[in-house]
Amino acid sequence: IERRVHMPTSTFYNLSKEKKERIIEAIQTELESNDISTLSINKIIKRAGISRGSFYQYFQDKKDMLQYMMEEFFHKMTILTGEKLQKNHGDLFQSFEEIVYDIHEYVLHTDLKEMHCRLLSDRRIHELFFSIARKEKLTAIFYKEMESLVKDEIKRDDFLLLLELLIDVTASTVVEMFQEENYERVFEQEMGKYHNKLMIIKRGCLS
């Protein structure tokens, strides 16, 4: 199983700040007005003022490009994860529920609302963003925060499986939440279903 996290090549990171910003702005503009399936690399390179050959020196493929566009979002969620666990004294279920609320608020008030909605509601992005490599990274973050609660190897294995299950359920909820055109209208309904799923999992753990 491939566990590579798609990212741009080193050539992209070595570009000048101005050129990187121009390329990123071109991608954002395209994502603000087009679904992933109709995304045009030709329009992006035209807006950015680069050649097709240059584009593929920076990104191996469209997945690399989309992964990069989600990287800042992933970084914010990573920081939020630790903050929520500390705030809720290690309560995984409360922390996950609050994170989904915060994701909704973040998307609602970001300048790139349409872009984030398109990325978060697309199942192909879901599979890329919550790949095996990503889930391993997230579970490692959660486990580090709660390591003192996990004493032996069996409990540790169960704990990691629980984290993976919660990540899958949460990712699926985020996809469903933003698939509706009027995602604000369905938010409370989706959160209600998500809360019920968390409680079912919690009862199973307690039993």
Side-chain angles (χ1 to χ4, degrees):
I1 299 173
E2 183 183 13
R3 300 196 178 197
R4 182 175 77 90
V5 175
H6 290 262
M7 287 300 290
T9 65
S10 58
T11 306
F12 177 79
Y13 289 110
N14 290 330
L15 292 174
S16 67
K17 180 180 177 182
E18 184 275 332
K19 191 167 186 177
K20 275 191 290 190
E21 288 178 349
R22 194 169 73 241
I23 294 169
I24 291 168
E25 185 177 342
I27 298 169
Q28 289 173 339
T29 300
E30 183 67 9
L31 281 168
E32 274 286 288
S33 55
N34 292 278
D35 292 329
I36 305 302
S37 58
T38 59
L39 195 66
S40 172
I41 300 300
N42 285 334
K43 288 182 180 178
I44 290 171
I45 62 178
K46 185 176 180 180
R47 283 195 181 98
I50 60 174
S51 67
R52 176 172 286 272
S54 293
F55 179 88
Y56 286 107
Q57 284 183 338
Y58 308 146
F59 303 99
Q60 291 188 28
D61 50 32
K62 188 186 287 188
K63 284 184 177 181
D64 277 356
M65 181 191 75
L66 293 171
Q67 180 70 70
Y68 179 75
M69 297 309 293
M70 289 295 286
E71 193 61 26
E72 182 183 358
F73 179 83
F74 181 80
H75 180 65
K76 289 178 184 292
M77 292 306 106
T78 299
I79 294 173
L80 187 63
T81 293
E83 293 175 351
K84 292 298 181 184
L85 281 171
Q86 291 180 13
K87 171 180 172 290
N88 295 312
H89 308 289
D91 186 329
L92 277 173
F93 301 94
Q94 182 65 29
S95 296
F96 268 93
E97 195 161 355
E98 289 182 10
I99 286 170
V100 175
Y101 270 105
D102 285 351
I103 288 173
H104 177 262
E105 286 299 304
Y106 173 79
V107 172
L108 193 65
H109 296 104
T110 182
D111 292 335
L112 299 167
K113 181 167 64 174
E114 292 302 319
M115 183 189 81
H116 282 93
C117 284
R118 286 190 168 90
L119 289 173
L120 289 170
S121 65
D122 194 288
R123 292 195 180 277
R124 289 163 294 184
I125 302 301
H126 163 89
E127 291 169 1
L128 174 66
F129 191 56
F130 292 100
S131 63
I132 293 174
R134 284 295 188 189
K135 283 194 285 188
E136 285 178 347
K137 185 172 182 178
L138 281 172
T139 53
I141 293 167
F142 274 98
Y143 184 73
K144 184 177 180 181
E145 292 288 339
M146 300 183 67
E147 194 170 9
S148 61
L149 303 177
V150 185
K151 302 299 182 183
D152 57 67
E153 194 64 26
I154 296 176
K155 287 182 179 178
R156 178 183 180 277
D157 289 345
D158 287 346
F159 183 69
L160 292 176
L161 286 172
L162 171 61
L163 284 174
E164 185 173 342
L165 176 60
L166 288 174
I167 290 169
D168 284 339
V169 170
T170 302
S172 178
T173 295
V174 170
V175 170
E176 295 295 331
M177 184 185 299
F178 290 106
Q179 275 190 336
E180 290 287 338
E181 185 174 343
N182 188 357
Y183 65 88
E184 295 176 55
R185 180 177 56 81
V186 301
F187 173 67
E188 291 299 333
Q189 177 185 337
E190 291 299 329
M191 282 304 299
K193 290 192 291 185
Y194 177 60
H195 175 78
N196 290 339
K197 290 175 184 178
L198 291 183
M199 293 304 100
I200 289 170
I201 296 170
K202 186 174 184 178
R203 286 198 296 271
C205 291
L206 293 175
S207 65

